[in-house]
């Protein structure tokens, strides 16, 4: 946070924002506080251009003020000299800005191509799926096949993470990474989202019918919040997520724990909730690996809503806007999802308070 | 030259009596006088400005505190969409048209525009578009996909897949509501586009062909030059969005497939077509203000514009380069590094001609005798504020840095500095500057100065702070946000700033209204100005000039007021001297002007009827389409048979 | 159409700055804009060329090139009719003018009938507006052109009726010239569309 603090005070001085009393501000989603090499290279360019802009700004405003004060009409009849122009001056203020821009252009172009490079073999491959209004993250490759989380992307530090991002229909099941959705499939009927974790990387739009790459990387363990940055409908503001960076060995441990299927519920209330999960049709949209269905396991694999296998191990739910730790928020969500998150795909199932208690109890067993 | 062959007497095709009223409501409906049309544009524009401003205030109230529930997301989306659409299409473009209509013909010494009835047609079609657009209030909601209206959110999917707005009703019902809103967007903007295209043709022909004798292209005032460039930009940009809107309309209403990925279409095509129009649009909005500033600053510095030629060519260059930068709105869309580089570089270099303009304005001030009237304050304020917008524009062109800025509040800050700082400040300067010409009275200067300083402060508080919000990670177009990201205080202060802007604008409008009766009498040339429009009476007679002036210099009026002394200096010619202007009184009947006509307004009536037809289906739709087209085509047909001016009138 | 200008209406009508009439410059300006209209449509068509999305395609057999070539020929010949109509009115030969202007309108109508027939065939073969991006782009582009021809025919008929009521003489025949510009433009655009649609070799495009 030291960098953030320094930045904040610098900003306060530069533009004199008079926000008394708020003291040191936490800016967890600030692009000016990069926490990885990608965001770092973008921020370096910003610093360069920002200071050039400040200098130009000061020069222009000073010229305007000087001109206005020095040449104010102080009365008298004399007519100012009717100067129509000055070719040399005009050439000067055409060429100098052009040269400054060339100076900006060179590092810009270099960085564009650097950022577009493939991160290579060592990168961790993750498939990102944007839906109205939440994110799914699916770990690819041998190490993490089958692990799917929602609104929470865990990554190892000091290792590039290659994201393959797709936008899918909110109402259709995700066919999975081995059957990438093609243009022309109903499942392609998603909308444009934009994946943005300001402290790790700038935005990349997620466009239906295409797979978009983005590389992110974190230097230090920590939680980096992000959110959808392209208008995607009623709950665009409620489409948040977190990137959580771990030390590599901790990450491996996390990944291993996530590959475990869910245990059947043992205590009575949770077991009741487990039954409700099927009888109240939750199972039609949500997958829980290892769920033993009365009607057979196949239905548990459907991927319309988030995979709930390790629900209780997450920090947030419902597009990253509610705390898993807060049973009241979970109860409110189960009671009427539309009320707390307008436009959400989860319908109001008309659950009674007892049913909500039981379902919550079951969900909290999914660690 | 007679306009009409001898047999005008045969009134077989005369459906309606030629309107004769010169006062009263009917005279305004049927007028073909560019000045009256300009005034109507002004009133309509100010109406929409207030509407869009109120929308903005509602948005700001919602965002004042985190997790606010003042507006529902549904309402918020409609309001932010309509704020954008209204400000761009129903304030920005017609604000330009207001000044073009009233001032440009006067500046080139013309009696009217080239096609007076087409001009009236433009205005009435523009009004029809506004009415059509806002008819959503009673037709199931206003457009809610943003002014950019990206597919497929705008086409097949809709912002409300769950049917939340229809009470959790069926997806089909939700889609019906959605497609109605998108029809308002696509058809409403097409109607507005017809109006604007017609006026673009009109202005181009007027400027190219109706200049007073001696007024060569390089003697035209900079404002007239900017009018010409804007008209050309409109001429070429509107067709692109027109086709995109046409495609959108067929997609949402008739099931065509253009932007739906599930049916093989590509949403990126919409983005390209939208921004291929959308970026020239920025220059369409801001160049008129550049023209206004270029009139005000020389007048109140008592110097000619510095580097006239550079000024003109910088405008032309901006117009040209404006076509090669559209995809900088799409850096994050995934076009690949090569395209991003190309568009990043063109975007950077459009800063060069823009910079030339700013430095030339400073050069005009330098060494002059600067009078800080309200008009001048606004003009200088526009230069200063636009500079900030221009510089943040350069930071956008740095593509990797743009990945962070795009779709955040930093962009909101940027384009408000360009459009509010440039266009609105410039246009308000234009209002203070030309008000005495239009009304014959001056606006209140004290109020004007209060207006300027409150607006400057309110504007910078509101939009200046948005730069921080964006860089600190706040995305655009969100109807709410959560505490803990460092955005709370700034958002609250910004909301206060927005209300300060509103108060300042209220003062401006009050000044406009009150000065109509109470303002000091202005006389023909209250500012000691330099250009031709100040050579006629204030307000000008309906024929503008009793005698068309012979132009021999760039700042014609200034040269008429000054002579070269023996020592080579300019000296003022005493009033009434040989070179001075003479406003001759003439009898109205000496000058033959186009007569009023009812057909332009009448032909506009059919267009929204055809638009509303799309909300229905089956026979009713066919009947409504038929009625609408009969009205429009019939009026145009009658128009074709109506002489521009009656014989022997 | 027949917009009479302030320059004409004003008694002291001074010569226009460019020496051309307002209407003629207006028409050229409008046509400049039209280039962009058709440019956008043709681009969209080429982007979606062959995107059938697994839906019925226009097979080479369906594209009846001889048929379309004939209607194209008729449309191109109508430009000749337009030229002859203009030269008749300029000579003051009202009778010949009326014949040629009606012939031109007739040829335009023949072209339109051909287009309507062709659309009917395609729809019956299962290629409708909503079938695929290709069909949407095809109908929008050719339909938009068809609307232009229709407007042109309406204007030609207006000219004819003005001539019949004696309001069109060799003195004010410039309106014929201007509408002729429009008519020739619409013809030329068809040549481009014809090339893009019918002459680009058919191939099975894959996505």
């Amino acid at each position: 946070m030291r960098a953030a603090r320094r930045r904040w005070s610098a900003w306060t001085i530069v533009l004199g924002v008079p926000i008394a009393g708020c003291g040191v501000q936490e800016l967890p989603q600030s692009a000016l506080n990069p926490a990885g090499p990608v965001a770092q290279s973008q921020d370096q360019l910003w610093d360069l251009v920002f200071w050039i802009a400040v200098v130009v700004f000061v020069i222009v405003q000073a010229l305007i003020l000087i001109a206005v004060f020095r040449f104010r009409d102080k009365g008298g009849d004399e007519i100012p000299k009717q100067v129509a122009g000055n070719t040399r001056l005009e050439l000067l203020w055409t060429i100098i800005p052009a040269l400054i821009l060339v100076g900006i252009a060179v590092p810009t172009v270099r960085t564009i191509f650097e950022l577009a490079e493939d991160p290579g073999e060592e990168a961790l491959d993750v498939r990102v799926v944007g839906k109205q209004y939440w994110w799914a993250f699916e770990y690819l490759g041998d190490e993490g096949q089958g692990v799917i989380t929602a609104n929470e992307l865990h990554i190892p530090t000091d290792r590039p993470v290659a994201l393959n991002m797709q936008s899918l229909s909110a109402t259709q099941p995700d066919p999975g990474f081995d059957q990438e959705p093609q243009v022309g499939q109903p499942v392609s009927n998603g909308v444009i989202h934009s994946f943005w974790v300001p402290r790790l990387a700038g935005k990349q739009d997620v466009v239906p019918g295409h797979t978009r790459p983005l590389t992110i990387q974190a230097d230090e363990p920590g939680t980096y919040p992000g959110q959808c940055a392209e208008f995607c409908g009623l709950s665009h503001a409620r489409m948040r997520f977190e990137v959580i960076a771990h030390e590599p060995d901790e990450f491996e441990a996390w990944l291993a724990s996530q590959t475990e299927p869910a245990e059947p519920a043992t205590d009575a209330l949770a077991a009741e909730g487990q039954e409700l999960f099927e009888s109240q049709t939750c199972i039609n949209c949500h997958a829980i690996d290892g769920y033993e269905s009365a009607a057979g396991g196949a239905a548990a694999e459907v991927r319309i809503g988030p995979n709930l296998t390790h629900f209780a191990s997450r920090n947030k739910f419902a597009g990253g806007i509610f705390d898993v730790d807060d049973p009241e928020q979970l109860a409110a969500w189960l009671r009427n999802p539309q009320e707390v998150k307008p436009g959400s795909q989860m319908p109001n199932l008309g659950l009674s308070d007892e049913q909500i208690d039981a379902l919550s109890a079951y969900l909290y067993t999914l660690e | 030259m007679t306009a009409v062959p001898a047999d005008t007497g045969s009134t077989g095709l005369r459906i309606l009596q030629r309107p004769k009223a010169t006062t009263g409501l009917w005279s305004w409906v049927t007028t073909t006088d560019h000045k009256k049309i300009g005034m109507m544009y002004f009133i309509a524009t100010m109406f929409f400005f207030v509407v869009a401003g109120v929308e903005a205030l509602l948005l700001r109230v919602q965002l004042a505190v985190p997790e606010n529930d003042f507006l529902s997301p549904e309402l918020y989306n409609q309001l932010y969409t309509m704020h954008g659409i209204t400000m761009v299409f129903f304030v920005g473009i017609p604000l330009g048209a207001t000044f073009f209509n009233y001032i440009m013909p006067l500046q080139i010494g013309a009696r009217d525009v080239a096609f007076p009835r087409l001009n009236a047609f433009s205005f009435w079609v523009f009004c029809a578009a506004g009415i059509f657009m806002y008819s959503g209030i009673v037709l199931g909601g206003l457009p809610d996909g943003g002014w950019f209206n990206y597919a497929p959110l705008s086409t097949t999917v809709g912002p409300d897949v769950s049917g939340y707005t229809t009470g959790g009703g069926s997806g089909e019902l939700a889609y019906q509501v959605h497609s109605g809103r998108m029809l308002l967007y696509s058809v409403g903007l097409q109607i507005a586009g017809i109006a604007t295209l017609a006026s673009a043709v009109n202005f181009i022909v007027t400027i190219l062909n109706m200049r007073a004798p001696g007024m060569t292209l390089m003697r035209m005032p900079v404002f007239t030059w900017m009018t010409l460039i804007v008209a050309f930009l409109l001429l070429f940009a509107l067709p692109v969005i027109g086709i995109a809107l046409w495609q959108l309309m067929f997609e949402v209403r008739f099931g065509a497939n253009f932007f739906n990925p599930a049916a093989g279409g590509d949403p990126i095509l919409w983005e390209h077509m939208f921004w291929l129009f959308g970026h020239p649009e920025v220059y369409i909005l801001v160049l008129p203000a550049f023209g206004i500033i270029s009139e005000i600053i020389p007048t109140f510095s008592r110097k000619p514009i510095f580097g006239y030629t550079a000024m003109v060519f910088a405008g032309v260059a901006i117009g040209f380069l404006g076509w090669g930068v559209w995809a900088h709105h799409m850096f994050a869309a995934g076009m690949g590094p090569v395209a991003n580089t190309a568009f990043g570089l063109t975007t950077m270099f459009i800063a060069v001609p823009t910079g030339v303009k700013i430095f030339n304005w400073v050069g005009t001030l330098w060494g002059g005798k600067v009078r800080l009237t309200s008009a001048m304050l606004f003009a200088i304020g526009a230069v200063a504020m636009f500079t900030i917008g221009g510089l943040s524009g350069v930071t956008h062109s740095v593509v990797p840095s743009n990945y962070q800025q795009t779709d955040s509040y930093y962009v909101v800050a940027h384009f408000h500095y360009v459009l509010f700082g440039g266009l609105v400040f410039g246009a308000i300067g234009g209002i203070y500057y030309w008000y005495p010409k239009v009304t014959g009275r001056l606006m209140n200067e004290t109020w004007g100065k209060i207006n300027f300083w409150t607006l400057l402060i309110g504007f910078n508080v509101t939009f200046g702070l948005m730069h921080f919000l964006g860089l600190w990670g706040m995305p655009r177009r969100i109807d709410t946000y959560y505490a803990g990201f460092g955005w709370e205080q700034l958002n609250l202060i910004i909301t206060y700033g927005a209300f300060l802007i509103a108060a300042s604008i209220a003062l401006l409008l009050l000044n406009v209204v009150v000065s109509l009766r109470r303002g000091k009498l202005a006389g023909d040339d209250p500012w000691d100005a330099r250009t031709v429009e100040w050579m006629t009476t204030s307000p000008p007679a309906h024929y503008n000039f009793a005698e068309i002036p012979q132009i021999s210099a760039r700042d014609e009026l200034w040269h008429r007021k000054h002579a070269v002394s023996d020592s080579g200096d300019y000296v003022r010619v005493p009033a009434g001297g040989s070179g001075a202007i003479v406003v001759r009184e003439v009898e109205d009947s000496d000058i033959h002007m186009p007569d009023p006509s009812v057909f332009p307004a009448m032909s506009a009536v059919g267009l929204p009827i055809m638009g509303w037809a799309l909300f229905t289906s089956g026979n009713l739709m066919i009947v409504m389409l038929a009625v609408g087209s009969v009205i429009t085509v019939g009026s145009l047909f009658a128009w074709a048979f109506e002489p521009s001016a009656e014989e022997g009138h | 159409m027949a917009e009479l200008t302030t320059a004409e209406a004003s008694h002291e009508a001074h010569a226009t700055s460019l020496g051309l009439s307002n209407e003629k410059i207006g028409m050229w300006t409008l046509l400049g804009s039209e280039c962009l209209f058709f440019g956008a449509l043709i681009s969209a068509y080429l982007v979606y060329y062959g995107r059938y999305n697994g839906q019925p395609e226009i097979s080479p057999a369906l594209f009846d090139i001889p048929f379309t070539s004939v209607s194209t020929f008729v449309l191109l010949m109508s430009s000749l009719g337009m030229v002859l109509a203009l030269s008749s009115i300029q000579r003051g030969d009202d009778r010949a003018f009326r014949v040629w202007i009606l012939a031109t309108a007739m040829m335009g109508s023949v072209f339109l009938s051909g287009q309507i027939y062709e659309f009917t065939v395609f729809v019956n073969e299962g290629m409708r507006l909503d079938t695929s991006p290709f069909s949407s782009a095809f109908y929008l582009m050719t339909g938009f052109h068809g609307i232009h021809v229709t407007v042109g025919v309406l204007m030609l008929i207006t000219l004819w009726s003005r001539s019949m009521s004696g309001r069109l003489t060799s003195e004010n025949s410039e309106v014929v010239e201007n509408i002729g510009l429009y008519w020739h433009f619409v013809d030329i655009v068809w040549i481009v569309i014809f090339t893009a649609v019918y002459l680009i070799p058919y191939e099975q495009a894959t996505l």
Side-chain angles (χ1 to χ4, degrees), chain B residues 523-548:
Chain B
D524 296 345
D525 180 19
W527 308 124
D528 188 14
R530 313 176 70 88
T531 39
V532 177
E533 75 268 30
W534 303 99
M535 285 165 58
T536 183
T537 50
S538 303
H542 74 104
Y543 42 78
N544 289 357
F545 297 94
E547 201 172 329
I548 299 290

Side-chain angles (χ1 to χ4, degrees), chain C residues 125-162:
Chain C
E125 293 285 330
M127 195 189 82
R128 300 187 315 271
L129 174 72
D130 56 1
T131 303
S132 61
F134 174 82
S135 71
S136 297
F138 170 82
Y139 282 118
L140 206 65
M141 174 177 67
T142 49
F144 196 78
H145 181 265
I147 289 173
H148 273 74
V149 178
T150 312
V151 169
V153 169
L154 285 177
M155 291 201 290
L156 296 178
I157 292 171
T158 311
L159 284 181
W160 175 78
S161 53
R162 272 180 68 160

Side-chain angles (χ1 to χ4, degrees), chain A residues 183 210, chain B residues 263-266, chain C residues 47-54 132-135 205 207:
Chain A
V183 162
H210 299 272
Chain B
D266 196 336
Chain C
V47 166
Y48 287 149
Y49 186 79
R51 275 214 198 179
Y52 301 112
N53 190 34
S132 61
F134 174 82
S135 71
L207 281 169

Side-chain angles (χ1 to χ4, degrees), chain A:
Chain A
M1 277 303 111
R2 241 188 42 232
R5 203 167 301 173
R6 205 171 53 232
R7 181 85 61 177
W8 163 248
S9 50
W11 275 106
T12 316
I13 294 158
V14 168
L15 286 131
V17 183
I19 305 173
C22 66
V24 174
Q25 186 114 2
E26 289 265 343
L27 298 173
Q29 204 167 303
S30 169
L32 301 177
N33 189 10
V38 178
Q40 191 78 50
S41 69
Q42 291 165 343
D43 187 55
Q44 273 166 3
L45 278 174
W46 160 261
D47 281 347
L48 169 77
V49 182
F50 174 73
W51 288 110
I52 291 174
V54 167
V55 171
V56 176
F57 169 79
V58 169
I59 292 173
V60 172
Q61 307 294 346
L63 283 174
I64 292 174
L65 289 177
I66 293 169
V68 169
F69 284 107
R70 204 174 133 197
F71 301 106
R72 259 188 101 156
D73 187 359
K74 299 177 188 83
D77 286 338
E78 78 280 15
I79 295 158
K81 198 154 174 257
Q82 300 292 300
V83 183
N86 180 328
T87 313
R88 203 173 292 171
L89 262 178
E90 286 167 46
L91 273 179
L92 205 67
W93 62 52
T94 309
I95 291 168
I96 290 180
L99 289 179
I100 294 174
L101 288 168
V102 170
I104 298 174
V106 172
T108 299
V109 175
R110 196 190 305 136
T111 313
I112 293 175
F113 281 90
E114 274 168 16
L115 290 178
E117 271 169 25
D118 194 301
E121 289 289 301
E122 52 145 358
L124 174 74
D125 282 317
V126 180
R127 173 170 176 260
V128 177
V129 173
K131 288 191 164 198
Q132 284 165 308
Y133 306 91
W134 61 282
W135 299 91
F137 302 103
E138 183 174 4
Y139 289 80
L140 307 178
D142 296 337
E143 40 195 339
Q145 208 159 52
V147 171
I148 302 172
T149 67
N151 307 313
E152 206 169 283
L153 173 62
H154 292 255
I155 60 169
T157 54
D158 291 326
R159 181 176 167 195
V161 180
L163 305 176
N164 307 283
M165 307 197 287
Q166 295 165 344
S167 167
L168 299 185
S169 164
T171 56
Q172 305 278 337
D174 175 0
F177 75 91
D178 45 355
Q179 287 169 35
E180 294 214 344
Q182 297 282 323
V183 162
Q185 290 178 350
V187 70
S188 294
N189 217 347
V191 300
I192 302 176
H193 302 284
S194 195
F195 183 92
W196 190 28
V197 204
R199 294 194 61 198
L200 298 184
K203 294 167 203 73
Q204 171 62 55
D205 287 2
V206 187
V207 183
H210 299 272
T211 299
R212 292 282 194 245
L214 178 71
T215 306
I216 60 173
Q217 186 172 335
D219 292 333
E220 301 288 333
T223 301
Y224 305 100
Q227 78 185 95
C228 174
E230 185 65 86
F231 179 65
C232 60
L234 276 184
S235 268
H236 166 54
R238 297 166 196 80
M239 189 170 168
R240 302 188 49 84
F241 61 98
E242 281 176 351
V243 177
I244 299 167
H246 305 274
E247 298 287 359
D249 49 339
E250 281 176 35
F251 173 75
E252 294 303 329
W254 174 84
L255 199 60
S257 77
Q258 295 285 310
T259 51
E260 300 291 320
E263 298 283 329
T266 45
D267 86 275
L269 189 63
E272 195 192 325
Q274 187 174 358
E275 271 172 40
L276 285 170
F277 186 78
E278 186 163 2
S279 64
Q280 295 296 321
T281 68
C282 310
I283 200 167
N284 290 358
C285 296
H286 297 283
I288 294 179
D289 296 340
Y291 184 90
E292 280 173 31
S293 159
E301 296 305 313
V302 74
R303 293 202 212 170
I304 295 176
N307 181 312
L308 298 177
T309 311
H310 298 276
F311 173 79
S313 74
R314 294 181 196 149
N315 296 332
K316 306 260 185 184
F317 69 97
I321 58 171
F322 298 124
D323 292 323
V324 171
D325 288 344
D326 186 342
E328 279 177 25
Q329 288 187 340
L330 183 58
W333 168 250
L334 292 174
R335 193 169 297 121
N336 188 356
Q338 298 291 322
E339 192 186 315
V340 291
K341 187 173 176 184
S344 154
Q345 274 301 292
M346 182 140 136
N348 183 351
L349 297 168
L351 301 173
S352 68
D353 285 350
E354 290 76 30
Q355 289 173 317
I356 290 170
D357 284 346
L359 256 181
S360 303
Y362 173 59
L363 288 172
Y364 280 124
T365 66
L366 300 170
E367 295 205 328

